[in-house]
Amino acid sequence: MKIFERVEHAKRYKDIAMLLAKYGRSDLVKQAGMNDILAEEQELSEFESAKADEFAKDLEALGSTYIKLGQLLSTRADIFPQEYLDALERLQDHVEPFSFGEVEKIVSEEIGVRLSKAFSEFDDKPAAAASIGQVHRATLRDGRKVVVKVQRPGIRREVYHDLEVLDDIAHLLDENTEFGKRYEFQNSLIHLRKSLLRELDYTKEAASLKILHENLKQFENIVIPLPIDDYSTSRILTMVRVEGKKVTELSSLALMEINGKKLADDMFHAYLKQILVDGFFQADPHPGNIFITDEGKIALLDMGMIGRLLSGFRENLLDLLLAISEGRGDNVANIALKIGEEKNGFQKDEFKRLIGELVVSHDDSNLENLDAGRVVIEITKISADTGFRLPPEFTLVAKTLLNLDRAVYTLDPEFDPNASVRRHAAGILSERVVESVSPGSILSNAIEVKQFIENVPPSLNKIMDIIANNELKLNVDAIDERTLMVGFQKVANRIAMGLVIAALIIGAAMLMNIETSYKLLGYPALALILFLAAVAGGVFMLYTILFNDTDGS
């Protein structure tokens, strides 16, 4: 077994070394000390630089792990020119399906009964075949129409083996080449490893389907197929069948029959909610994963690649997208600085200048052509060139936004993503406010207060003891006690009124999401009344501060 693994490793090392040499990077092979991997060193110079499409085809030929690697590299604008990024974005799995005998064996082993016992119908020809698995149409015994995703035999062993080889290669490049130290391939490989291992466990994809179905239930035009738990395991995934076609397969006439503008805006809004509010999103919304159902709705498929974002990152990302949508270059640079971290030799002034030029170079008349996804990708390139490290989540969001831009343009060629960001920003902020006052966050704050109280410094305990023993002495020099008390009362009144106004605003935001027949100006009546009361209170408090507090009254 160990001998076999060494032989397989050597073959993969040679494949990668030959690939680097073919695309003009034989210098990396030499610097990394991989010359001995090839039979003869002169093999490094036998190839001329190939084209981007050939590079994508070569990765396809290496197998599923390298296809996923290519899809990850499609976000690395810091490494590849645009023609290579475009070729890698189009990278899809083109593999031969495995036999129906293997399908029948795997399904029977996983669910514990013969295939004919579980399904009344099971199509022996796959509806789709990819490097990780393939999909078959079927019908359950109770009449429900489903699709069954079956994992390819031996794929786990292949992926584990390829990840080990890639980890060795990334380590050699990062340790021995300036190119590797600059672009940190091992960090990128960590993200690839997590993504691939998740895709190999279909129970995780089933859980993601349920979460997204719940998170997006407010969008009537978005469909997330639910899994059938009794017929799903780590190697097979059975889902409710969605009847329709890929958006890329629709003819121009078919696209005219649906409300493309509405669907594009709903899908973009749904992704803004996933990314900025929920922090849980499908990270691969390329057009091939998007169906238009027979009812004219959008179905999001393939939840193998999922992104997760922390609350603080989401807040900065919302600020960044708003700044991009409004063409505020300086703000984009400053927000990006908060998201990442500086490396040695970071050129801060150059970083801010290049990002400012990237955004500001598009004047207001062309702002609709400034895609947020493309700008975020370009920010990663500028970051690498100037010595700044952005977190892997940023790259994942960049890829998601870029694919999303292309998907919505398929539905509506005139769609303006920046206008959509500005249009939905208020609703997103409102949802984030509601999220911040959830029972969980309140309990979390209460725990923090408890921990603070439990860790009161000894010096403060000493002060409390002095006060309790009536030994505290204050030396006061010429202070009017009456004026001091009036000042305290004003401060207390301001705080109390501020809390009331904040409560009114939060209440209005929460009531905005409740359907009611009583409306004013198109909004729920009670929510609008609370909001107007908060505005009136704020104006009154501002008036008293400006005119009553300045005259000493």
Side-chain angles (χ1 to χ4, degrees):
M1 183 65 179
K2 292 294 182 182
I3 294 175
F4 175 76
E5 287 181 356
R6 285 200 295 271
V7 172
E8 287 296 301
H9 275 54
K11 181 179 182 300
R12 278 309 196 190
Y13 287 140
K14 184 172 181 177
D15 287 340
I16 297 172
M18 298 283 278
L19 194 65
L20 287 170
K22 181 176 181 180
Y23 294 93
R25 297 316 305 256
S26 57
D27 58 320
L28 296 181
V29 178
K30 295 175 182 177
Q31 291 172 27
M34 293 191 292
N35 287 349
D36 57 341
I37 294 172
L38 298 178
E40 297 181 8
E41 184 175 343
Q42 56 262 35
E43 288 186 65
L44 293 174
S45 58
E46 287 183 2
F47 300 97
E48 297 180 356
S49 293
K51 296 180 181 179
D53 288 337
E54 291 181 44
F55 180 59
K57 290 177 182 177
D58 285 336
L59 287 177
E60 280 184 6
L62 286 173
S64 58
T65 309
Y66 294 87
I67 291 172
K68 299 300 179 184
L69 176 63
Q71 291 170 350
L72 174 65
L73 292 175
S74 70
T75 66
R76 298 301 300 268
D78 52 339
I79 300 176
F80 294 101
Q82 189 57 49
E83 60 177 328
Y84 278 81
L85 297 179
D86 292 340
L88 291 171
E89 285 165 12
R90 296 191 296 268
L91 193 62
Q92 300 293 326
D93 296 355
H94 297 292
V95 295
E96 289 295 322
F98 54 95
S99 69
F100 182 69
E102 291 278 7
V103 171
E104 192 170 20
K105 178 182 176 183
I106 292 171
V107 174
S108 297
E109 287 176 353
E110 292 298 309
I111 63 178
V113 296
R114 292 199 310 274
L115 189 142
S116 58
K117 289 283 187 179
F119 302 93
S120 60
E121 295 179 11
F122 199 103
D123 195 342
D124 59 351
K125 295 181 179 179
S131 56
I132 298 292
Q134 62 190 37
V135 176
H136 291 259
R137 293 172 175 268
T139 303
L140 296 177
R141 283 291 177 182
D142 60 10
R144 284 179 291 176
K145 296 184 181 299
V146 297
V147 293
V148 183
K149 184 189 290 190
V150 185
Q151 195 169 101
R152 187 172 289 272
I155 188 63
R156 295 189 180 192
R157 181 176 177 279
E158 177 186 331
V159 168
Y160 293 150
H161 166 256
D162 284 342
L163 285 174
E164 287 182 14
V165 172
L166 286 173
D167 186 56
D168 291 342
I169 298 294
H171 177 75
L172 287 172
L173 292 175
D174 287 358
E175 291 293 323
N176 302 306
T177 70
E178 287 300 319
F179 187 74
K181 292 174 182 176
R182 183 177 185 179
Y183 295 106
E184 299 176 325
F185 293 110
Q186 284 183 295
N187 285 340
S188 298
L189 190 61
I190 289 172
H191 170 61
L192 176 66
R193 180 185 297 275
K194 288 180 179 178
S195 176
L196 271 173
L197 294 183
R198 281 189 59 85
E199 285 197 56
L200 289 173
D201 187 352
Y202 286 166
T203 61
K204 288 184 170 59
E205 184 173 351
S208 297
L209 286 167
K210 293 177 185 178
I211 293 171
L212 284 175
H213 184 273
E214 178 65 22
N215 289 349
L216 299 181
K217 63 183 180 181
Q218 71 189 70
F219 296 92
E220 295 181 355
N221 288 324
I222 304 293
V223 176
I224 308 292
L226 283 173
I228 310 297
D229 290 335
D230 292 340
Y231 296 84
S232 299
T233 68
S234 64
R235 296 178 66 201
I236 65 169
L237 175 60
T238 304
M239 299 172 287
V240 175
R241 190 192 307 176
V242 175
E243 300 292 354
K245 290 184 177 180
K246 291 181 180 180
V247 68
T248 52
E249 296 176 352
L250 294 178
S251 64
S252 300
L253 183 61
L255 285 171
M256 292 176 62
E257 294 177 352
I258 62 175
N259 190 347
K261 291 183 181 294
K262 173 64 174 172
L263 291 179
D265 189 63
D266 282 353
M267 185 167 70
F268 199 85
H269 185 193
Y271 266 90
L272 290 178
K273 180 181 184 298
Q274 289 179 64
I275 295 171
L276 301 173
V277 178
D278 304 324
F280 186 94
F281 62 98
Q282 183 205 32
D284 195 20
H286 66 75
N289 282 342
I290 299 170
F291 267 48
I292 301 298
T293 70
D294 293 343
E295 295 78 25
K297 298 181 178 182
I298 295 174
L300 301 180
L301 308 176
D302 192 354
M303 302 300 165
M305 188 179 294
I306 291 292
R308 291 173 172 81
L309 305 175
L310 297 177
S311 178
F313 184 91
R314 300 201 302 269
E315 290 179 4
N316 288 327
L317 187 60
L318 175 57
D319 290 343
L320 183 77
L321 293 179
L322 284 172
I324 291 173
S325 72
E326 296 173 356
R328 294 184 275 114
D330 290 341
N331 287 12
V332 172
N334 290 330
I335 296 165
L337 286 172
K338 293 194 293 184
I339 293 176
E341 60 178 309
E342 301 177 9
K343 296 194 288 187
N344 292 334
F346 173 48
Q347 306 166 40
K348 186 174 182 179
D349 292 339
E350 182 71 0
F351 175 84
K352 297 179 74 171
R353 183 185 69 79
L354 290 174
I355 289 184
E357 288 180 355
L358 170 68
V359 179
V360 177
S361 61
H362 296 72
D363 57 30
D364 290 342
S365 62
N366 293 322
L367 193 59
E368 63 274 11
N369 298 322
L370 184 62
D371 296 340
R374 178 61 60 192
V375 172
V376 176
I377 285 285
E378 288 296 325
I379 289 174
T380 64
K381 176 177 173 52
I382 293 171
S383 298
D385 290 342
T386 56
F388 188 71
R389 180 188 291 112
L390 287 166
E393 294 84 2
F394 191 87
T395 303
L396 188 61
V397 169
K399 179 180 185 296
T400 301
L401 290 175
L402 189 64
N403 281 331
L404 184 61
D405 286 342
R406 297 187 172 184
V408 294
Y409 287 146
T410 303
L411 292 168
D412 178 15
E414 299 178 356
F415 184 77
D416 181 359
N418 298 291
S420 184
V421 170
R422 295 191 294 272
R423 184 165 57 251
H424 297 300
I428 290 169
L429 284 170
S430 174
E431 289 182 87
R432 287 195 60 80
V433 169
V434 173
E435 181 188 34
S436 67
V437 295
S438 65
S441 62
I442 293 173
L443 181 59
S444 177
N445 291 334
I447 292 173
E448 289 181 6
V449 172
K450 173 181 175 292
Q451 292 173 343
F452 173 76
I453 294 173
E454 289 176 347
N455 294 284
V456 174
S459 57
L460 185 55
N461 283 332
K462 185 176 180 180
I463 294 173
M464 298 298 291
D465 290 338
I466 293 172
I467 294 174
N469 295 329
N470 200 24
E471 296 174 356
L472 182 65
K473 296 180 180 180
L474 294 176
N475 293 326
V476 181
D477 186 13
I479 292 180
D480 186 343
E481 293 181 0
R482 184 177 180 278
T483 303
L484 187 63
M485 291 303 298
V486 170
F488 282 152
Q489 288 176 350
K490 285 185 177 181
V491 171
N493 290 340
R494 298 286 186 272
I495 292 174
M497 192 167 187
L499 289 173
V500 171
I501 291 172
L504 289 172
I505 293 173
I506 292 173
M510 296 177 72
L511 289 171
M512 280 290 184
N513 295 321
I514 298 176
E515 290 295 331
T516 177
S517 58
Y518 301 99
K519 294 189 176 183
L520 289 175
L521 303 176
Y523 297 97
L526 184 54
L528 187 59
I529 291 171
L530 290 179
F531 180 73
L532 293 175
V535 172
V539 171
F540 176 74
M541 187 164 65
L542 185 62
Y543 174 82
T544 58
I545 291 172
L546 292 176
F547 296 101
N548 291 350
D549 289 358
T550 56
D551 59 4
S553 60

